[in-house]
Amino acid sequence: HVQVVESGGGLVQAGGSLRLSCTVSELTFDDYSMGWFRQTPGQGREGVSCISWSGASTYAADSVKGRFTMSRDNAKNTLYLQMNSLKPEDTAMYYCAVLKWTQDYCSGSPIDFNYWGQGTQVTVSS
């Protein structure tokens, strides 16, 4: 069955950087667009960033534009999220997920994704 595993979270001071990784197995990774989402307790899951399987289509939430960069290495079945200039409001559990369809487009809506990982916690101290 498909496995999605996130890593790279941690505790960082405001203004610092983290790089999240997400590996996917038992799936033809380069057929699928991938997304990063985040969630805080009591809140819904928020779309952070998305990259299509070709890389031609991308999405980034306004709150992270200019600070977060998403990339993928199809040869390694791995997705990355480089997070710079982190703010306390970026504190959340971060998840990656696979778009439901093999179409070369992006979405910021969680309902368009399945095969979620267990998440990796990012905490930004002020």
Side-chain angles (χ1 to χ4, degrees), residues 9 18 79 88:
L18 282 174
L79 183 71

Side-chain angles (χ1 to χ4, degrees), residues 3-119:
Q3 288 190 310
V4 179
V5 180
E6 302 95 339
S7 61
L11 174 64
V12 64
Q13 288 189 328
S17 297
L18 282 174
R19 188 196 196 201
L20 305 185
S21 298
C22 170
T23 58
V24 181
S25 59
E26 305 301 327
L27 184 82
T28 306
F29 183 74
D30 52 6
D31 280 350
Y32 291 89
S33 302
M34 298 291 299
W36 282 102
F37 297 83
R38 64 187 181 186
Q39 189 171 21
T40 55
Q43 300 296 317
R45 205 160 282 189
E46 173 194 16
V48 174
S49 186
C50 171
I51 186 168
S52 67
W53 60 257
S54 73
S57 177
T58 59
Y59 162 83
D62 287 343
S63 58
V64 306
K65 283 180 181 176
R67 300 188 298 121
F68 290 11
T69 303
M70 187 174 183
S71 61
R72 62 189 297 161
D73 185 337
N74 288 342
K76 295 182 178 180
N77 282 17
T78 301
L79 183 71
Y80 302 100
L81 185 68
Q82 178 66 44
M83 304 187 296
N84 299 327
S85 302
L86 281 161
K87 304 175 181 180
E89 51 264 44
D90 294 318
T91 295
M93 186 71 80
Y94 283 72
Y95 301 88
C96 74
V98 183
L99 192 73
K100 290 180 180 177
W101 311 282
T102 56
Q103 291 171 282
D104 195 29
Y105 84 102
C106 264
S107 169
S109 174
I111 64 171
D112 292 336
F113 290 80
N114 58 11
Y115 300 126
W116 295 82
Q118 82 290 345

